[in-house]
Amino acid sequence: MQFDIKNQEDRIKLSYEVAFYMMTIGCQNMKKFLHIPEEYITEGGYALGRVWVALQDDYNQNRLEEDDIRFLLKIKMQLADSPQKDLGIWLDRADEVEAYYREHGTLSMPNTMLFLDGVSMFQWVHYQKKLYKQGELSAYQIARLEAMGMQWIKPKQATGWNKAYSYAKQYFEANGHLFVPKKYVTPEGAALGKWIEEQRDRYLGLSSHKISDKKIEMLEDIGMFWEDLKNAEWDWFVGLLRECIRVTKKPFVIGRSYRYKNYALGEKVSEVNKQYADGSLTAEQEKDLRKAGFKFNRHIK
């Protein structure tokens, strides 16, 4: 079906269907984001799930404007997994920064510059650069900031395969896995995420460059997965959690800082509990976790 977010009638229809969906699932907390399965179709034949997923993809591909984004946030659509817990607040901040840019023609500002609510605008601007370097800004956020004249500190390429591999090994030793975000940059400034992606392209034949069997083995020794990354990362996490529960002999309570085999298991478990609470955890994922012996809301103190 065709959906045009600029069309007021389409917006009203979507708002109505979302409200009905919330009543159908008995959603009580109006502050929580919604998860609507892609295959979900209303009794009236409205492909709500497909529209929902398509709009999330539009945000990820930077095809939406601020007004569109604010509308989607209003109907409880989660659009960002970045440290900005509330994208609406980020938009408000960006509006004020943009006003400063229009007035002064630059984002260079005194370190005493504040937002209207007293928060440091100077520090916020510099924090965006840190998030960019860590790969934690969405395409929309990056484009919005660049339109204001934001100058990024570009990450440098790792010099030599062995040097880049050493960064990958350090990442594995620190995190217990090699699911590196594509935009991740090491503290030394090496674009490790991009390098990992290049190795994967070589393995899959998507690059004109080849990767030797020895290098493939070296990467697999530190947890490299080559295909179906989304499912691979989830299956890996569930397997590790199952092992941890089995080794400890019983369900247990852990803190956010708990690590198992160098993996931040406590942080991931906290994230899973949050997804379970706000309804964004799929039925299949919930089933996987219960089979592994996981008991919701009992693992985080």
Side-chain angles (χ1 to χ4, degrees), residues 238-254:
V238 172
L240 189 70
L241 182 62
R242 180 186 296 109
E243 176 187 323
C244 186
I245 293 173
R246 176 175 53 78
V247 168
T248 59
K249 306 297 183 183
K250 59 181 180 180
F252 55 96
V253 176
I254 65 176

Side-chain angles (χ1 to χ4, degrees), residues 166-288:
S166 71
Y167 290 135
K169 188 173 182 180
Q170 289 172 15
Y171 185 95
F172 174 76
E173 291 171 350
N175 297 281
H177 62 84
L178 209 61
F179 297 109
V180 185
K182 291 182 180 180
K183 296 179 182 178
Y184 176 80
V185 177
T186 69
E188 297 81 8
L192 181 60
K194 183 177 180 180
W195 182 82
I196 289 290
E197 185 178 23
E198 289 174 353
Q199 306 314 301
R200 191 170 285 115
D201 285 347
R202 292 183 182 190
Y203 176 87
L204 297 173
L206 302 176
S207 169
S208 58
H209 301 285
K210 304 297 182 183
I211 183 170
S212 68
D213 291 342
K214 180 180 179 180
K215 289 179 178 178
I216 291 173
E217 184 178 347
M218 289 173 67
L219 285 167
E220 289 179 344
D221 284 343
I222 57 173
M224 183 70 153
F225 282 85
W226 303 105
E227 301 178 77
D228 195 15
L229 295 185
K230 185 176 181 180
N231 289 328
E233 183 172 3
W234 175 257
D235 291 343
W236 177 86
F237 159 67
V238 172
L240 189 70
L241 182 62
R242 180 186 296 109
E243 176 187 323
C244 186
I245 293 173
R246 176 175 53 78
V247 168
T248 59
K249 306 297 183 183
K250 59 181 180 180
F252 55 96
V253 176
I254 65 176
R256 287 183 63 91
S257 61
Y258 180 82
R259 301 183 74 85
Y260 182 74
K261 291 190 173 180
N262 288 331
Y263 177 66
L265 189 63
E267 187 174 326
K268 181 64 177 179
V269 166
S270 178
E271 178 187 327
V272 165
N273 267 325
K274 180 181 177 183
Q275 291 175 324
Y276 176 72
D278 66 22
S280 61
L281 196 70
T282 68
E284 190 63 32
Q285 289 175 324
E286 181 181 341
K287 182 179 179 181
D288 289 343

Side-chain angles (χ1 to χ4, degrees), residues 22 27-34 72-78 85-86 274 277-279:
M22 293 176 70
C27 182
Q28 302 296 324
N29 192 337
M30 300 298 289
K31 294 183 179 180
K32 292 180 179 178
F33 289 118
L34 286 177
L72 295 176
L73 290 173
K74 188 175 181 180
I75 61 173
K76 311 304 177 188
M77 180 180 287
Q78 187 169 13
K85 301 297 184 183
D86 188 339
K274 180 181 177 183
D278 66 22

